[in-house]
C-alpha cells in the first residue's frame, strides 16, 4: 500500500480480476498464484488460452511457472535489480510510452538518469538471470499490447518491499500500462478481507478509507461522529513494533483478533517471549490457536458462516456475507464482543446490526459513500463509489487521473537484503504456502481431508545439495539461522536451485518463522519473511 500510494495516490489493485483474461501479457513476480490464489490463476490460464504471454519471475519454480512462456529464477531479494534491468532494456530499445510519461507522470528525469546507468552484466550477476532472459522478459512485457503485473508477498515481505512495489509502478508507467483494461499493477492480498480490514482503518496511521489520523479535518470529523472532544493524532505501532514495545515495557496489553502471530510472525521465539511477558493478552478467535494458548483471556468469535456483514476482496469489491448458521456454542458476533467491552469501559456503542455499522462507514468514508446493503445485492461494488448514482470503479487511474494528480516515478537503486549468505550460513531460505493449507493452518489443519493431503512440514532442497548432505526424500534435517533452529523432513526437487531452500509456514510444530528475520522495511514496517540465511545439518 505504501509503495503504490506513493506512486499513484492509492494503495489498491488498479484493475479487476476479470481484466486479466483480456491481457496480452501477464507478468507475475513474487506470487505462487496457482497455490495461493487458485481462482486468480484460473483467470490467468484463461488469458493464456486466449493467446496471452505469461511471464514469471520467482526464486522458486512454482506451478504457474510450469505453464509460462518464460520463467526466470532470480535470487531471493534481488527484485529491484531485475526490474531495473528490464527498464534499462526498454529505454535502450526506445519502447517507453513517451506520450503517457509526458502528460501523466512526474519526476521522470531522475528515474531515467538512474536507469540509464544500469549495467545489464552487473544485474545478471546480482540476480542470477542471464542478460538474454532479462531482455526477453522486458521486450515481451513492453511490446505485447496490454500488459498486466501481478504480485504478492514475494515482493512485499522484504526490507526493501516498498522499493520493490515502487519499481513495479515505474515499470507500468514507463510503458503506459495503466488505466486501461488488461493492464495495471495488481497486488494479490495474502488473506481474504485483508483489503477490507485495511479499508476499515485496521492500520496504525489511518481511519476508514485511509484518512490519516494526523490530519486535523479527518480527526475532527471522526471525533464529532463518535461524540468525543478529540482523538489521538499520534501514529500507532505496527506488529513488529508492538513486539519490541512489549519487550521495552512500553506495551502492557494486546488484543489479538483472528491472527496467529506465534506462527505467522518472524523470529517466533522472540514473539513467544514477548507474549509470555505482556501483562494482559486477549485473543479473540474461533479455535485455540498457538497464540490463544498463551492468552490470559480467550474471547469466542465466529466464523464466516455465522456472521452477517461485508468482505472486500483483492480487487476492491465490497460484497455481502450472510449468516448461514447460528453461532456455535457460547461464541458471539465479533462486533458485539467489541461493543459490549466498549460499553463496560464507559464508551457507549449502540449499534443494532452490521448494517447500522456499515451505514456509519459510508457516512464517514468518501470512497464508500455510495455503497449500501441494497446496492450490494448481486456482484457487489468496487470502490471508490462516491455517490448513490455512481456504478463503482472497476479500473483505477483511467485517463491518467491518478489519485495523487500525476503518477510519480521513483529512482530506486538496488540494495541487498538485510541478511545475506556467508560461510557460516551458506543457504538462502525463502518461505511460502502449499495448496492444501491456509496461512497458519488454524482452520485447514483441522480438516481431515486437507491434513491428509499435506500432514506435516518439509524443506525443499535441490538434488545437488541433497547429494552433498547425503539425504533422500523423507530424511530428517536440521535448519539453523541466527535466531533459532528446527528439524523437518527433506523433499528433493528441482523447483529450487542449488544453494536455495524453501519451507511452507503452516506448521506450528515445524515453525519456519523461528528462523526468519524480523528486520523490516523502514517505511511499511513489513518484516523480511521471504529471505534469510540458514545452514543445514543432517540429523
Amino acid at each position: 500500500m505504501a509503495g503504490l500510494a506513493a506512486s499513484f495516490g492509492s494503495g489498491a489493485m488498479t484493475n479487476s480480476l476479470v481484466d486479466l483474461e483480456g491481457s496480452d501479457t501477464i507478468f507475475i513476480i513474487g506470487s505462487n498464484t496457482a497455490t495461493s490464489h487458485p481462482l486468480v490463476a484460473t483467470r490467468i490460464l484463461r488469458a493464456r488460452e486466449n493467446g496471452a504471454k505469461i511471464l514469471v519471475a520467482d526464486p522458486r519454480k512454482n506451478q504457474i511457472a510450469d505453464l509460462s512462456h518464460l520463467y526466470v529464477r532470480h535470487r531471493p531479494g534481488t527484485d529491484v535489480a531485475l526490474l531495473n534491468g528490464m527498464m534499462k532494456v526498454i529505454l535502450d530499445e526506445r519502447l517507453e510510452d513517451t506520450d503517457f510519461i509526458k502528460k501523466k507522470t512526474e519526476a521522470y528525469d531522475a528515474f531515467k538518469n538512474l536507469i540509464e546507468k544500469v549495467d545489464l552484466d552487473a544485474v545478471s550477476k546480482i540476480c542470477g538471470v542471464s542478460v538474454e532472459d532479462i531482455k526477453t522478459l522486458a521486450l515481451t512485457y513492453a511490446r505485447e499490447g496490454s500488459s498486466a503485473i501481478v504480485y504478492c508477498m514475494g515482493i512485499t515481505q522484504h526490507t526493501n518491499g516498498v522499493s520493490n512495489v515502487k519499481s513495479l509502478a515505474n515499470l507500468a508507467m514507463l510503458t503506459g500500462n495503466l488505466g486501461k483494461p488488461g493492464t495495471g499493477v495488481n497486488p494479490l492480498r495474502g488473506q481474504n478481507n485483508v483489503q477490507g480490514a485495511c479499508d476499515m482503518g485496521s492500520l496504525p496511521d489511518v481511519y476508514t478509507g485511509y484518512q490519516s489520523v494526523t490530519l486535523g479535518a479527518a480527526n475532527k470529523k471522526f471525533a464529532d461522529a463518535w461524540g468525543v472532544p478529540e482523538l489521538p493524532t499520534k501514529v500507532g505501532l505496527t506488529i513488529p513494533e508492538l513486539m519490541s514495545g512489549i519487550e521495552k515495557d512500553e506495551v502492557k496489553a494486546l488484543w489479538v483478533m483472528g491472527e496467529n502471530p506465534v506462527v505467522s510472525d518472524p523470529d517466533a521465539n522472540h514473539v513467544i517471549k514477548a507474549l509470555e511477558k505482556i501483562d494482559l493478552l486477549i485473543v479473540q478467535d474461533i479455535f485455540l490457536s498457538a497464540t490463544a494458548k498463551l492468552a490470559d483471556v480467550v474471547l469466542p468469535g465466529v466464523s464466516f458462516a455465522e456472521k452477517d456483514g461485508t468482505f472486500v476482496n483483492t480487487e476492491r469489491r465490497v460484497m455481502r456475507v450472510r449468516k448461514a448458521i447460528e453461532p456455535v456454542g457460547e461464541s458471539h458476533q465479533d462486533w458485539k464482543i467489541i461493543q459490549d467491552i466498549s460499553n463496560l469501559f464507559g464508551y457507549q456503542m449502540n449499534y443494532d446490526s452490521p448494517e447500522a455499522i456499515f451505514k456509519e462507514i459510508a457516512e464517514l468514508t468518501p470512497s464508500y459513500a455510495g455503497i449500501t446493503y441494497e446496492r450490494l445485492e448481486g456482484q457487489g461494488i468496487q470502490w471508490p463509489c462516491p455517490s448513490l448514482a455512481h456504478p463503482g470503479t472497476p479500473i483505477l487511474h483511467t485517463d491518467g487521473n491518478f489519485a495523487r494528480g500525476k503518477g510519480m516515478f521513483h529512482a530506486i537503486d538496488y540494495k541487498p537484503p538485510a541478511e545475506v549468505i556467508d560461510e557460516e550460513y551458506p543457504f538462502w531460505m525463502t518461505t511460502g504456502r502449499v495448496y492444501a493449507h491456509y496461512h497458519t493452518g488454524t482452520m485447514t489443519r483441522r480438516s481431515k481431508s486437507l491434513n491428509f493431503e499435506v500432514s506435516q512440514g518439509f524443506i525443499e532442497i535441490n538434488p545437488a545439495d541433497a547429494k552433498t548432505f547425503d539425504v533422500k526424500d523423507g530424511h530428517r534435517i536440521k535448519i539453523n539461522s541466527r535466531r533459532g533452529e528446527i528439524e523437518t523432513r527433506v523433499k528433493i526437487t528441482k523447483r529450487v536451485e542449488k544453494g536455495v531452500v524453501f519451507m511452507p509456514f503452516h506448521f506450528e510444530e515445524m515453525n519456519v518463522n523461528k528462523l526468519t528475520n524480523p528486520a523490516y522495511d523502514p517505511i511499511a514496517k513489513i518484516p523480511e519473511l521471504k529471505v534469510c540465511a540458514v545452514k543445514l545439518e543432517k540429523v
Side-chain angles (χ1 to χ4, degrees):
M1 291 180 61
L4 289 184
S7 298
F8 305 151
S10 171
M13 186 172 182
T14 63
N15 287 52
S16 299
L17 293 173
V18 70
D19 263 12
L20 293 174
E21 296 183 28
S23 298
D24 296 306
T25 303
I26 301 175
F27 176 37
I28 305 168
I29 182 168
S31 168
N32 184 358
T33 319
T35 291
S36 298
H37 299 89
L39 297 182
V40 179
T42 298
R43 296 194 183 277
I44 292 171
L45 295 179
R46 285 177 187 163
R48 189 182 188 278
E49 291 172 359
N50 294 335
K53 297 287 180 65
I54 309 301
L55 311 173
V56 177
D58 201 282
R60 175 176 176 263
K61 190 175 184 183
N62 53 52
Q63 287 91 333
I64 204 81
D66 292 337
L67 300 171
S68 66
H69 293 82
L70 175 63
Y71 164 65
V72 300
R73 193 201 306 267
H74 61 300
R75 294 191 181 103
T78 62
D79 305 279
V80 166
L82 177 64
L83 295 169
N84 281 353
M86 289 176 62
M87 290 185 282
K88 166 68 170 174
V89 172
I90 290 168
L91 285 178
D92 286 349
E93 297 293 327
R94 297 184 179 180
L95 294 172
E96 71 272 28
D97 189 331
T98 53
D99 190 55
F100 183 94
I101 293 166
K102 183 177 180 179
K103 293 179 180 179
K104 301 173 182 179
T105 70
E106 59 185 333
Y108 176 66
D109 288 343
F111 158 80
K112 183 180 179 182
N113 288 339
L114 182 142
I115 297 300
E116 285 181 334
K117 296 173 185 175
V118 168
D119 184 301
L120 287 179
D121 289 323
V123 168
S124 179
K125 290 177 182 177
I126 290 169
C127 63
V129 178
S130 71
V131 171
E132 181 181 352
D133 279 350
I134 294 171
K135 287 181 177 180
T136 303
L137 201 62
L139 297 177
T140 305
Y141 175 83
R143 285 176 173 165
E144 295 289 336
S146 299
S147 293
I149 296 170
V150 172
Y151 72 92
C152 195
M153 290 174 289
I155 281 288
T156 57
Q157 289 181 343
H158 294 272
T159 50
N160 52 8
V162 171
S163 293
N164 289 345
V165 174
K166 287 179 178 177
S167 294
L168 290 174
N170 287 342
L171 178 61
M173 288 188 290
L174 182 64
T175 54
N177 276 300
L178 284 164
K180 300 176 291 187
T183 67
V185 184
N186 303 294
L188 304 180
R189 292 302 198 177
Q191 298 185 60
N192 72 324
N193 209 34
V194 165
Q195 184 67 57
C198 295
D199 292 353
M200 293 303 100
S202 294
L203 296 163
D205 59 340
V206 293
Y207 297 112
T208 60
Y210 311 99
Q211 300 171 85
S212 175
V213 300
T214 63
L215 293 179
N219 208 283
K220 185 177 187 306
K221 177 173 73 171
F222 282 89
D224 291 346
W226 294 338
V228 294
E230 60 182 2
L231 290 167
T233 58
K234 182 180 178 182
V235 171
L237 302 177
T238 61
I239 291 176
E241 292 172 323
L242 279 173
M243 296 304 165
S244 298
I246 295 169
E247 194 173 45
K248 298 173 185 175
D249 290 324
E250 296 171 353
V251 176
K252 301 292 186 180
L254 185 63
W255 186 348
V256 179
M257 290 183 59
E259 187 80 2
N260 191 12
V262 165
V263 179
S264 64
D265 285 15
D267 195 5
N269 289 324
H270 177 255
V271 173
I272 292 169
K273 288 179 183 177
L275 297 183
E276 288 175 339
K277 172 185 170 67
I278 198 167
D279 292 356
L280 175 63
L281 176 62
I282 304 164
V283 175
Q284 186 168 329
D285 214 321
I286 61 175
F287 290 115
L288 197 66
S289 66
T291 303
K293 291 173 184 176
L294 301 177
D296 300 292
V297 178
V298 177
L299 301 174
V302 293
S303 70
F304 74 96
E306 303 161 84
K307 68 175 72 171
D308 288 306
T310 56
F311 280 32
V312 188
N313 74 355
T314 197
E315 62 175 359
R316 299 171 282 105
R317 188 179 298 277
V318 185
M319 301 176 291
R320 283 292 312 277
V321 58
R322 291 171 173 82
K323 184 170 66 173
I325 60 173
E326 291 302 315
V328 173
E330 297 181 42
S331 58
H332 295 272
Q333 297 294 328
D334 294 279
W335 68 269
K336 284 187 176 180
I337 293 175
I338 296 169
Q339 178 166 283
D340 289 346
I341 290 179
S342 179
N343 291 340
L344 288 171
F345 279 156
Y347 177 75
Q348 295 301 305
M349 292 186 184
N350 298 298
Y351 305 107
D352 59 10
S353 67
E355 185 175 6
I357 298 170
F358 192 88
K359 286 179 179 178
E360 180 182 286
I361 291 165
E363 290 170 1
L364 295 174
T365 313
S367 57
Y368 277 64
I371 305 178
T372 65
Y373 267 33
E374 290 76 18
R375 294 194 70 198
L376 290 177
E377 295 294 334
Q379 298 300 311
I381 296 175
Q382 288 170 276
W383 65 258
C385 180
S387 69
L388 290 173
H390 196 282
T393 309
I395 302 176
L396 295 179
H397 320 308
T398 55
D399 301 319
N401 295 318
F402 289 95
R404 65 175 304 279
K406 289 187 173 184
M408 171 74 81
F409 275 98
H410 293 88
I412 306 293
D413 211 349
Y414 166 71
K415 293 181 180 178
E419 185 173 82
V420 297
I421 59 174
D422 56 22
E423 289 185 4
E424 186 178 4
Y425 296 95
F427 284 86
W428 295 105
M429 186 186 75
T430 188
T431 68
R433 303 185 179 192
V434 297
Y435 71 96
H437 291 302
Y438 181 69
H439 208 52
T440 65
T442 305
M443 293 179 285
T444 56
R445 295 196 69 203
R446 287 176 164 82
S447 163
K448 290 182 180 179
S449 56
L450 291 176
N451 214 44
F452 176 78
E453 292 290 333
V454 184
S455 61
Q456 58 182 307
F458 57 86
I459 183 170
E460 290 187 350
I461 299 176
N462 182 273
D465 292 323
K467 186 176 181 180
T468 298
F469 287 93
D470 189 27
V471 292
K472 300 187 184 319
D473 279 328
H475 282 186
R476 304 287 294 182
I477 200 164
K478 184 185 293 184
I479 311 102
N480 286 271
S481 77
R482 292 177 174 87
R483 289 153 295 278
E485 68 176 43
I486 59 173
E487 286 185 19
T488 191
R489 63 189 178 96
V490 168
K491 183 176 181 179
I492 301 172
T493 176
K494 291 183 179 179
R495 290 199 178 275
V496 291
E497 69 174 335
K498 188 176 185 295
V500 176
V501 295
F502 165 86
M503 285 191 68
F505 66 91
H506 313 287
F507 303 93
E508 176 188 346
E509 68 277 14
M510 299 174 184
N511 189 355
V512 67
N513 281 323
K514 290 182 177 180
L515 310 177
T516 49
N517 192 355
Y520 51 78
D521 184 285
I523 298 173
K525 311 295 174 67
I526 297 297
E528 193 154 70
L529 288 161
K530 292 304 178 191
V531 53
C532 72
V534 299
K535 61 182 177 182
L536 308 179
E537 180 184 339
K538 183 179 178 181
V539 176

